[in-house]
């Protein structure tokens, strides 16, 4: 009887953990889509913590990130790279 109860609890726990994992993955996918949309529609706001944009100054950053700018895609790629570097650095400095 004890073994059956243990197996039953084990199965229920596995089911709950699977549901929780699925919910977390769904939330992450939703957040990724929202961030991607925000990155394209309001890149200055999305990358507001960027030291690169801060050094460029507000006017130059707005010119580079405005809709129709030839450099917008390249600047966004650079800002993504800067963000990834910051994450890597923070993760490795612990």
């Amino acid at each position: 009887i004890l073994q059956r109860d243990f197996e039953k609890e084990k199965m229920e726990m596995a089911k709950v953990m699977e549901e929780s994992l699925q919910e977390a993955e769904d939330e992450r996918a939703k957040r990724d889509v929202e961030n991607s949309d925000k990155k394209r529609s309001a890149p200055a706001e999305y990358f507001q913590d960027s030291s690169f944009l801060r050094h460029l100054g507000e006017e130059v950053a707005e010119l580079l990130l405005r809709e129709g700018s030839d450099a917008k895609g390249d600047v966004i790629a650079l800002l993504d790279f800067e963000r990834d570097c910051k994450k890597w650095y923070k993760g490795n400095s612990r």
Side-chain angles (χ1 to χ4, degrees):
I1 295 175
L2 194 58
Q3 183 67 23
R4 277 190 306 204
D5 288 344
F6 176 73
E7 289 298 321
K8 184 178 176 182
E9 281 187 37
K10 183 178 169 184
M11 294 295 282
E12 288 175 3
M13 182 68 91
K15 183 179 176 183
V16 168
M17 289 175 68
E18 180 66 30
E19 289 173 359
S20 177
L21 181 60
Q22 185 62 44
E23 287 175 10
E25 288 175 355
D26 292 346
E27 275 297 312
R28 181 172 177 246
K30 181 181 173 184
R31 192 172 51 250
D32 287 347
V33 167
E34 289 172 355
N35 284 341
S36 179
D37 291 345
K38 187 174 181 181
K39 187 190 315 182
R40 284 282 162 203
S41 64
E45 182 182 333
Y46 181 77
F47 293 108
Q48 67 188 9
D49 61 337
S50 167
S51 58
F52 176 70
L53 289 181
R54 228 180 354 263
H55 289 301
L56 285 178
E58 198 171 315
E59 288 181 25
V60 175
E62 285 178 15
L63 285 173
L64 290 172
L65 294 171
R66 75 177 190 273
E67 203 58 44
S69 169
D70 292 337
K72 184 177 179 180
D74 292 333
V75 172
I76 288 175
L78 180 67
L79 294 170
D80 276 333
F81 179 70
E82 178 189 27
R83 182 173 274 193
D84 290 343
C85 289
K86 284 181 181 180
K87 286 180 186 177
W88 177 85
Y89 181 76
K90 287 178 183 178
N92 286 326
S93 64
R94 292 182 182 146

